[in-house]
Amino acid sequence: MDPTLVLLTVEEAARRLGIGRTTCYSLISSGEIESVTVGRLRRVPAEAIAQFVTRLRASVSSEKAA
């Protein structure tokens, strides 16, 4: 896996997150993970993975504070 890639396939994004492909597609459909269409291909911007993890961590820490 090339860490310099700007756009990842859904499978690569799922692998980086340690989740299944179907779960990754669900997160994309719900808008939790950003994706773009290039021609007929669905791609996930690499920074969208970091943003998703940041939001997850923030929601966990806000739940602990409550």
Side-chain angles (χ1 to χ4, degrees):
M1 185 171 6
D2 185 354
T4 60
L5 290 175
V6 176
L7 293 175
L8 308 170
T9 65
V10 174
E11 290 79 7
E12 290 168 334
R15 207 168 325 145
R16 285 193 182 187
L17 288 167
I19 61 175
R21 183 179 66 102
T22 304
T23 302
C24 195
Y25 272 109
S26 295
L27 291 168
I28 288 169
S29 341
S30 69
E32 294 184 63
I33 295 179
E34 177 191 356
S35 70
V36 296
T37 304
V38 180
R40 294 179 55 199
L41 305 172
R42 174 70 49 197
R43 294 293 183 253
V44 177
E47 67 267 10
I49 301 297
Q51 292 167 354
F52 173 69
V53 172
T54 300
R55 283 193 309 276
L56 279 179
R57 293 178 77 187
S59 70
V60 167
S61 62
S62 68
E63 288 173 9
K64 286 183 181 178

